[in-house]
Each structure stands twice: as C-alpha cells, then as structure tokens.
Amino acid sequence: MISRPSRSPRLLPLLALSSVCIAVAARADTGPAEAARETTAPGGDQFGFPRAIPFSRSASRDAPGFAVAMAPRGVRTAAGEIGFAAYQGHGLILRPGFYGLLELEGDEQPGFTPWPSQQIHFWRGSYAFQAALAFDGLGRRLCSRCALEFTLRFRHESEHYTGANSGGLGIDYSDRPIFGDAIILDVATVLWRGNWLLIIRALDDLFLPDRSSYSLGPGLDLHLRYAAWRRIHPFFSGYAEYLFGTEHGDLSYPDAYLVRGLLGIAVPGALGDLMVFASGDVGHRKGLAAYTKEATLGLGVRLAFGSMPGM
Amino acid sequence: MLLLCVGCAENLGTETPTRRSQKAGTLLRECIVPMPADVATWTTPATLAFPDGALWIFQSATLADGSTAPGAALWLASADAACAGPADLLRTPDGNLAAFLTLDAAETSANATRTDGRWLALVPKAGFSDAGVGHLYYDHVLVGPGSFDFELLGTGVCVLDTIAGTCTRAVDAVGSTVLWLGDELPIRSAFVDAGMAYLLACRQPASLMQSCTLARVVPASAEMISAYEYFDAFAGWGASRTQSTQVLDDFALVSLSSNPFHGRYTVVLTDPFDGKVSLRLTPSLEQSFGSQVPLFTAVAPAPDALFDGGAEQISLRGEGGRVIHIAYTAGSFATRELHLASFRFDEVLK
C-alpha cells in the first residue's frame, strides 16, 4: 500500500522529559507527618492491584472501573485491571497484569436518564496486557509518600454497534476510525502537599502501522483530591488526549481530541473508591461515534479499584 | 446553575474521513482517440492484447457515407499513436473493411423478418491472444424496440484470423453459437497468465448490483465449454460453474490483469456513473482483492449517457506496468467519444 505520511510529532522525548519534571516536582512534600505513612500499595504479591499508582480515578473514558453515566447519554462501563503478580527487588516492583473494558453507550438525545438500560447503541471492547514497574526506592528518596511508576501496555480496542433483533438493514459504519492496536507508554507520579494528593500521568499511544486509523495519541491525566477527612474526599480529575489520524485502507482519517473533567466526591475504602461526580468534556465522542464533536455536561457514578499511594 | 445544565450537549460539528485521491500516481494524459476520416460514429470496443499492440473490435462503426461496418476493428501500436491518430480501420487483403464479428446469413435473415421491433446483435466484450491466436468473447443481445431495451441471450466466443479479418464463431455440441445461455457466463475481462486464460464474468442480478466470478481455460481449448474451470473459494478450481465464488461485487466496469510493476493481479474499476477509476490488487487470484485505491476521475459524461468500456490496455503499458492506459467511451449517444487515459503510479502498491 501507499506509505503513510508521518505528520505526528515524536513525543517520546517529551514524555521522558515530563517524567523527570514530575519527579522533581514530587520532592516538594517533606512533611514529617506524612513520612510515617506507608508507601507500599496493598494487594499482595499475586492477583492484586496492577499498579502502584492507580489509573482508575482518571477522567479518561478508558479508565478501569465499573461506572454508569446518567447524562448526557447513558454509558455503562465494565472495566478492570488485575495484577498477576508482584516481583520486588532493588527498590523496584514489577507487576505484570491484564486490562479489560466493555463500554455500552446510547445514541439518544442528550438528557438525564436515571437508569439507562434500553438505549445501548455503541459498543467498545478492549483488552490489554501490561507491565507496571514501580520505582519505590527512588520514590521514597524523593519524598516520604512519593511514588513513581512506568507502565507499558499492548492494547487492542474494537468498535461495534447494536443491530435490530428483528433483522433489517444495518448501518454502514465502515468509514469510522478503528482504534485497533497500540503500545501505550505511561509514566505517573504522586505528589502530596499536606492533605492534598495530586497524581500526574503522562501517556502516549503508539499505534501499530496498518492496525489503526491513528498514528500517535499523547495524553495527560491529573487527579487532585483533598484527603483530610476519613470518609469523604472531594476530588477533581482532568484528562486530555489528542489522536493523530492517519491513512488506513483508502481513507485518510481526521485527528480527534478529548478534554474531560470530573468533579465530585470519593468515598474511600479498603479496595478503592466510590466516586460520584459531575463530568464535563469537549471533543470527539468514542467508538463508532468518533466523528461527532461536542461539548457536554454529565453525571455519573464509578467504582474505582486500587489503593491510593500514601493513604 | 450547573445542575440545570447536566445532561446538556452542544454539537460542535461532524467530521468525515477523506478518500485518498490521486495519491497513487498521476494522470498523465486523457485524450479522445481521433476517428478515422471515413467513420462518423463507433461503439465501445472490446480489446485484445497482442504482444506488439492492441486490437480494438467494435460492434459496428457508422461510416461517413451512412453505411454500417459491423465488426470493424482498429490496430493500436501505442498509446501515443492512438491519441495522435487518426488511424484507419483494418482492411482485408482485398481492400474491404475487416468484419471480425458479424451475424451469419440465418441470423441476418431472421432479423429482416422480425416484426416486433427487435433485432439480434453481437456485442464484443473482451478477449485475449495467445501464441498469435486471438479469442473474442461476445454477447448475443436482442436489442429494441426502445433505445434502452436489450435482452442478454447468452455468450459466445470466436477465434480470430487477423489476416483474413474474420472471427470464426465457436459452436457447441448442438450447433449453437450461444455457448453459455443468458447470464451464465457474461465475460467482461480476459487475460493470459502463465499459460492459462483467466476470465472475469460479471452478472447483474438486480439493478445497480453486480457479481463477478472467475473462470479459466487453456487458451487452445477456449472453444470447448467443458474445458473451462471455475474458481470456488472452498474447493479451488473445478468444473462446476454454479459453484463458483463471487470475487468482486463492485458495480463497475472491470478489467482484470496481472501487473508486473506491482507484482500483483489488478482489477481496474471504472464507475459507470461518475467515471471514478480505481484499482484493487491481490497477490493471487485465489485470494481476496484488497481495498479500492483511487486513481483518477475520468471526464464527465453527458447527462444522458454513462461510461462504458474501461478496459486496461495491457499491451500498451509503459515502464513495466508503471504506466497504464484505460480506454472508455463517454458522451451522449449522438456524440459518443472514445477516450484513452494514461496513468503513472508513484510507487509499487501492495
């Protein structure tokens, strides 16, 4: 086939630079009270949490969690990550793991649906094999509750839609972009300042040639929470991504972006958080609806597994 | 205020992908092939590729004096010569216009005695040459009474004598020149590869639908129905025509061949409505064709006419298949013109 033009910037150096900056910023926390807290994430050394710094609180639509969005459209998400094992040594913890996602989304008129169940139209399915490497030794040298982690994932995603049970003509979505296969690099760190927790994650999707409608997908993920109280933590999660379109088959696909924020409260527990939030986003929808660009305000609930570092 | 807005969505627009256009190469030239001085109009020709040039065989040509020359033919040594023209219609050694494909005496007589406003016509569609011998596939068509009325009676094949200017029509066991009835095997493209003639047969089961299957035959046995094999995706090549597998479903004019530049089999597709010319490739005829690669858009036809023809001129290729030439007709029935488009690929397609 015709060779694909390279119009995406090479962001690996930027990713590496951002990780260094994040690590330097993490040195700000030197409070003596925090120094006594544990830094090791629970979950044991097999079939435990897959990361030292969980991705489940992210505002990304791909965040691993069990969630329902009741507005602006019904979105049901069943996604999770699990670590197969945890290998420790030399200040490092390596966690190989697995990620899976199934997301159902309606295509109804925007509004509020308390219990969305009948409007499933778009489907996304995804799985990933991953390995997270936590630099615990380096994190502790930076500050008492700091954590630094690098994750490498091979991820596949496919997009589908619901057809009528009674048959009839299908909808032609053949020109819609294919997420396909990607290798995803991300580096994350935790910054504590008093009772404020900040998770910063920089990530980049490196799509495999001829396996996707995109070439590169850098993103930035933030999670800020106030953790002074034992039962309630107000939080804000922000996420931004930009997918560079490429040529696939005989189509040239446009770029896509999404900026999304969640504002709400988290009810922490031993396994994770119950998050209730309002959401706002600007950008492209997901899956087969990816060509629609819109700005929305919504509402949702999520069960997010994985313990927070330093809590 | 925020709560009042929960559930709101503001549409910021809808995007679409863009078709890759003309990125596969460059349209070098699109010429109207000049008619010979003594020709007023001509029909869409079938192409036979010979090693040293292309033979175009027309259903008929209307001469300047108002007479009709059935089965007239034109020899093209190169694309440049075709565009520079005009060339003369081929003539027999005795000086008469060659008539490669003509009705026999009985068919001519039957046409003369018909009272329903219809008449039998032989329409050349595709052919191949091997070892200097040409084979032409043609449709038996009942035309009329209206301008757009026609009924496909079947398919025949004839063997060319390029010196005598004739094409001997093959007959089956019962003496019929209709070797395949109706739309059993409407050949639309043919070429020779590794000692076998490959044929693309395209049926139109419904309006705006087309289903193409593959057949093959040893060139020397092309007059024998029993010598043909048909491609079945499950069982391979076999004798059962009805078990053949659909290999293309594009509603388009088709031209199948092997292109050494790409190292692939290619099928050139010409949309009969908008003239968009594209290409599909496959490494093997037993494998599926790849996605369409747009090449160029041919000149727009007149409002009352469609594109016809669309045959790639295998013997006129340049640079080992990097430059291809596609012949098609376009224009109104009154002023139908024969075009030859030349396209050069930027690079090898996979």
Side-chain angles (χ1 to χ4, degrees):
Chain A
M1 272 300 172
I2 298 171
S3 62
R4 57 188 61 236
S6 178
R7 54 195 179 96
S8 308
R10 293 291 172 217
L11 294 183
L12 278 177
L14 188 63
L15 199 63
L17 182 62
S18 65
S19 66
V20 173
C21 294
I22 289 168
V24 170
R27 296 176 67 96
D29 177 22
T30 54
E34 291 78 7
R37 303 195 182 188
E38 288 190 10
T39 57
T40 303
D45 59 2
Q46 62 182 21
F47 291 113
F49 295 136
R51 301 176 190 248
I53 305 172
F55 186 45
S56 53
R57 275 67 165 188
S58 169
S60 165
R61 289 276 297 267
D62 301 328
F66 290 83
V68 174
M70 291 159 280
R73 296 181 186 86
V75 179
R76 281 122 289 179
T77 307
E81 282 181 320
I82 188 165
F84 296 140
Y87 304 105
Q88 296 195 43
H90 307 289
L92 304 173
I93 302 180
L94 175 66
R95 294 178 175 88
F98 178 81
Y99 161 91
L101 172 142
L102 181 63
E103 183 194 71
L104 316 177
E105 181 175 357
D107 198 29
E108 67 273 20
Q109 288 295 316
F112 180 78
T113 309
W115 186 247
S117 61
Q118 297 298 317
Q119 297 296 332
I120 296 169
H121 185 77
F122 296 115
W123 296 59
R124 284 198 303 143
S126 177
Y127 67 85
F129 294 99
Q130 62 187 43
L133 185 62
F135 296 85
D136 278 12
L138 179 59
R140 285 172 185 159
R141 281 201 293 273
L142 292 170
C143 73
S144 59
R145 291 189 288 170
C146 284
L148 181 65
E149 188 173 47
F150 175 83
T151 306
L152 175 68
R153 292 201 286 165
F154 169 80
R155 179 167 181 251
H156 170 82
E157 178 183 313
S158 58
E159 301 80 22
H160 311 273
Y161 80 100
T162 302
N165 288 352
S166 56
L169 295 175
I171 303 172
D172 184 1
Y173 285 119
S174 60
D175 66 344
R176 303 304 166 101
I178 301 165
F179 188 94
D181 298 332
I183 293 173
I184 302 174
L185 312 174
D186 85 51
V187 58
T189 192
V190 171
L191 172 66
W192 280 94
R193 185 173 290 273
N195 289 313
W196 290 92
L197 163 72
L198 177 63
I199 295 177
I200 307 172
R201 183 184 307 275
L203 62 163
D204 194 10
D205 294 357
L206 306 170
F207 293 93
L208 302 187
D210 293 323
R211 302 288 296 171
S212 175
S213 304
Y214 302 107
S215 60
L216 204 61
L220 184 64
D221 183 41
L222 304 173
H223 176 74
L224 176 67
R225 72 161 59 194
Y226 185 67
W229 306 309
R230 192 167 68 92
R231 297 189 184 279
I232 295 289
H233 292 172
F235 75 90
F236 170 78
S237 294
Y239 176 78
E241 68 178 13
Y242 195 95
L243 305 178
F244 290 91
T246 187
E247 293 178 340
H248 185 70
D250 64 338
L251 296 178
S252 182
Y253 292 89
D255 297 350
Y257 69 88
L258 179 65
V259 179
R260 188 165 189 252
L262 311 179
L263 180 65
I265 56 169
V267 181
L271 294 177
D273 291 333
L274 170 65
M275 304 166 73
V276 181
F277 54 82
S279 67
D281 63 49
V282 176
H284 294 80
R285 294 179 69 186
K286 289 290 184 179
L288 295 178
Y291 287 148
T292 303
K293 190 165 56 176
E294 59 186 20
T296 75
L297 288 173
L299 198 64
V301 180
R302 180 189 297 175
L303 285 173
F305 295 107
S307 65
M308 300 297 283
M311 284 176 54
Chain B
M1 188 65 184
L2 185 66
L3 283 176
L4 289 177
C5 285
V6 164
C8 297
E10 177 72 21
N11 191 304
L12 304 178
T14 303
E15 294 171 336
T16 56
T18 55
R19 297 274 170 192
R20 297 194 302 184
S21 58
Q22 301 199 6
K23 287 184 177 177
T26 305
L27 181 63
L28 300 176
R29 175 177 61 193
E30 189 167 25
C31 78
I32 296 174
V33 178
M35 287 184 189
D38 56 345
V39 174
T41 61
W42 52 17
T43 56
T44 304
T47 299
L48 273 76
F50 285 83
D52 53 346
L55 180 65
W56 284 358
I57 299 178
F58 300 88
Q59 177 189 341
S60 64
T62 303
L63 304 181
D65 62 6
S67 62
T68 299
L74 198 67
W75 176 257
L76 305 172
S78 69
D80 290 340
C83 291
D88 288 331
L89 293 176
L90 291 183
R91 293 183 179 274
T92 59
D94 59 9
N96 293 320
L97 286 176
F100 281 98
L101 187 61
T102 56
L103 298 171
D104 60 25
E107 291 165 337
T108 304
S109 173
N111 269 350
T113 57
R114 291 187 79 108
T115 58
D116 58 359
R118 309 175 80 184
W119 67 94
L120 176 68
L122 307 180
V123 183
K125 285 298 184 180
F128 64 87
S129 76
D130 184 67
V133 179
H135 288 79
L136 174 67
Y137 293 89
Y138 60 94
D139 286 350
H140 291 73
V141 179
L142 263 186
V143 184
S147 302
F148 296 97
D149 297 332
F150 71 94
E151 179 184 351
L152 179 60
L153 300 179
T155 304
V157 62
C158 63
V159 184
L160 265 68
D161 182 336
T162 53
I163 303 300
T166 59
C167 195
T168 305
R169 295 163 64 189
V171 294
D172 62 12
V174 296
S176 172
T177 55
V178 180
L179 303 188
W180 295 276
L181 284 171
D183 66 351
E184 286 181 348
L185 200 70
I187 305 296
R188 295 296 176 259
S189 183
F191 76 105
V192 175
D193 183 55
M196 293 293 285
Y198 290 90
L199 315 165
L200 198 57
C202 299
R203 300 170 187 81
Q204 295 184 348
S207 178
L208 305 181
M209 292 183 69
Q210 182 164 272
S211 173
C212 297
T213 56
L214 271 175
R216 72 178 184 183
V217 67
V218 175
S221 304
E223 299 160 77
M224 299 167 53
I225 300 175
S226 59
Y228 284 76
E229 292 183 313
Y230 306 90
F231 177 64
D232 176 348
F234 300 100
W237 293 94
S240 174
R241 179 180 48 76
T242 57
Q243 292 299 312
S244 55
T245 303
Q246 172 179 282
V247 296
L248 285 171
D249 63 356
D250 302 280
F251 187 73
L253 308 166
V254 295
S255 184
L256 179 68
S257 66
S258 170
N259 188 310
F261 178 68
H262 302 298
R264 294 282 192 276
Y265 294 93
T266 61
V267 59
V268 176
L269 305 165
T270 304
D271 189 307
F273 297 109
D274 59 17
K276 288 180 178 171
V277 179
S278 59
L279 190 76
R280 290 186 190 272
L281 302 99
T282 180
S284 163
L285 290 177
E286 287 81 22
Q287 296 181 30
S288 300
F289 284 94
S291 57
Q292 272 184 286
V293 179
L295 300 184
F296 63 92
T297 300
V299 63
D304 61 343
L306 304 176
F307 288 91
D308 197 8
E312 194 211 329
Q313 306 297 305
I314 300 172
S315 51
L316 305 186
R317 284 172 177 164
E319 301 181 42
R322 186 169 191 169
V323 177
I324 62 172
H325 309 278
I326 296 136
Y328 62 90
T329 54
S332 68
F333 285 109
T335 59
R336 199 158 186 79
E337 293 168 325
L338 187 48
H339 296 245
L340 187 64
S342 304
F343 183 87
R344 185 176 190 271
F345 293 99
D346 283 344
E347 57 189 1
V348 174
L349 302 178
K350 295 297 182 187

